[in-house]
Amino acid sequence: MGVDKAVIPAAGMGTRFLPATKATPKEMLPVVDTPAIQYVVEEAVAAGLDDLLFVTGRNKRALEDHFDRNLELEEVLAEKGDDARLRLVERSSDLARIHYVRQGQPLGLGHAVLMSRHHVGPQPFAVLLGDDLIDPRDPILPRMIDVRERLGGSVLCLMEVPREQISLYGCAAVEATGEPGVVRVTDLVEKPPVESAPSSLAVIGRYVLDPAIFEILADTPPGRGGEIQLTDALQRLCHPGVPGGGVHGVLFTGRRYDTGDRLSYLQAVIQLALEREDLGGPLRAWLMGRLGLPGGE
Ligand code: UTP
């Protein structure tokens, strides 16, 4: 069966961004002028995934409104003849078929994925996290879907990170497959201490999962931080002989922007704004001025 559904968990507490996330999901925080989650939705659609399921929490209104029509705003912009902004407003409601399921309590990413079981059914599906923005010039999902279709099982997106940062991520132990850029994942550990991490390969927020994950998640006790961890369930799928098992990793070497914590979020915003035609020049000059560099304003 092909992959055409994507699950986008957006029910976390976003505690690292309080108070901004008191009434707004962190996935709605703007990266330059577009909510992080819209970049993720556009990536899914570009990869041919046209059925999207958001797992939402207590503040789902902002998400639903963003991907719905806003007739009043559209009318005002049309009356003013502001076609460019009108197109921007219409775009987010025309992107894809979006469905919603509620995660009553934020019991962890694994639990959020489990909430999608009924909607997804017995077919492989993608999961995309709003914390990781993948540059559209370096798409990785199509490659992951291709690996799933050829090799079966589940597929992770792995990225080499500086060794001292591996304790911030899920970490994969891997062996070669003979195919460049594709490895077999033999073990997974969530946020290991640097000394005992099996590699410097971090699990990034893109997954293509076999539906066997649901049975395992339903039976996965809370792990690190008292949350039901997706990594713990995936770890069980790494073991040989587990039905629906087999986990591969696709190595990602492209441009990725982390929006998960405040510093990396600010870096992502600046990086992406510097690349914008309308903002890049003046922002660069201002930054150089702030840093006392020649040519700055
Ligand atoms: P994070 O752990 O980064 O999100 O989860 P968080 O818990 O909201 O962040 P902090 O640490 O409190 O700041 C990764 C992804 O999983 C979703 C989040 O919305 C995010 O997209 N998630 C996490 C859920 O949907 N439900 C949960 O119970 C936990």
Side-chain angles (χ1 to χ4, degrees):
M1 251 191 265
V3 182
D4 60 7
K5 289 184 178 164
V7 172
I8 303 181
M13 296 284 275
T15 50
R16 285 170 290 175
F17 282 93
L18 282 169
T21 46
K22 183 177 171 192
T24 309
K26 80 169 166 188
E27 288 75 8
M28 282 299 294
L29 294 180
V31 177
V32 189
D33 50 13
T34 303
I37 199 156
Q38 185 173 329
Y39 292 88
V40 169
V41 166
E42 293 193 11
E43 180 191 344
V45 171
L49 306 168
D50 60 1
D51 179 315
L52 310 187
L53 178 73
F54 286 177
V55 183
T56 59
R58 68 222 144 88
N59 302 318
K60 67 171 184 163
R61 262 295 287 285
L63 275 166
E64 284 187 343
D65 286 349
H66 183 72
F67 290 101
D68 198 358
R69 305 272 312 261
N70 182 334
L71 296 176
E72 204 183 325
L73 183 56
E74 287 173 32
E75 225 169 83
V76 171
L77 292 169
E79 265 167 28
K80 280 189 181 169
D82 193 342
D83 292 341
R85 290 202 175 89
L86 179 60
R87 273 197 301 278
L88 286 178
V89 166
E90 286 173 339
R91 182 171 167 73
S92 55
S93 53
D94 290 343
L95 276 170
R97 282 180 293 154
I98 299 184
H99 309 268
Y100 298 87
V101 65
R102 195 81 179 204
Q103 184 189 19
Q105 270 183 292
L107 299 179
L109 175 58
H111 183 254
V113 171
L114 183 57
M115 296 297 104
S116 72
R117 183 179 198 168
H118 182 70
H119 182 88
V120 168
Q123 62 180 82
F125 63 105
V127 175
L128 293 85
L129 304 188
D131 283 3
D132 286 315
L133 301 188
I134 302 284
D135 195 301
R137 293 165 290 187
D138 302 318
I140 189 70
L141 266 178
R143 179 99 204 268
M144 295 172 69
I145 293 170
D146 170 62
V147 169
R148 153 71 205 192
E149 282 168 2
R150 286 186 294 111
L151 305 179
S154 297
V155 185
L156 309 181
C157 181
L158 301 177
M159 198 178 86
E160 187 90 42
V161 297
R163 182 88 191 166
E164 66 278 6
Q165 285 176 23
I166 194 66
S167 53
L168 302 172
Y169 294 90
C171 173
V174 302
E175 56 189 35
T177 58
E179 182 176 340
V182 179
V183 291
R184 197 181 341 277
V185 178
T186 55
D187 200 8
L188 285 166
V189 39
E190 184 63 22
K191 302 192 171 75
V194 176
E195 318 76 68
S196 59
S199 74
S200 308
L201 289 173
V203 179
I204 301 306
R206 298 292 178 275
Y207 308 80
V208 175
L209 300 177
D210 187 278
I213 194 82
F214 292 128
E215 205 56 51
I216 297 182
L217 281 171
D219 186 41
T220 299
R224 211 190 145 84
E227 297 193 340
I228 297 176
Q229 297 284 353
L230 182 60
T231 309
D232 291 347
L234 282 166
Q235 199 236 5
R236 283 166 66 185
L237 284 179
C238 295
H239 296 311
V242 176
V247 180
H248 286 91
V250 169
L251 303 180
F252 179 68
T253 53
R255 285 158 282 194
R256 160 196 175 252
Y257 314 100
D258 180 358
T259 59
D261 66 64
R262 290 173 306 164
L263 179 61
S264 54
Y265 168 80
L266 290 172
Q267 289 165 337
V269 172
I270 292 169
Q271 173 77 43
L272 287 169
L274 283 172
E275 291 186 15
R276 287 284 182 94
E277 217 170 273
D278 52 344
L279 298 170
L283 178 61
R284 178 168 288 106
W286 181 81
L287 279 172
M288 287 165 69
R290 301 295 298 172
L291 298 170
L293 296 171
E297 277 176 0

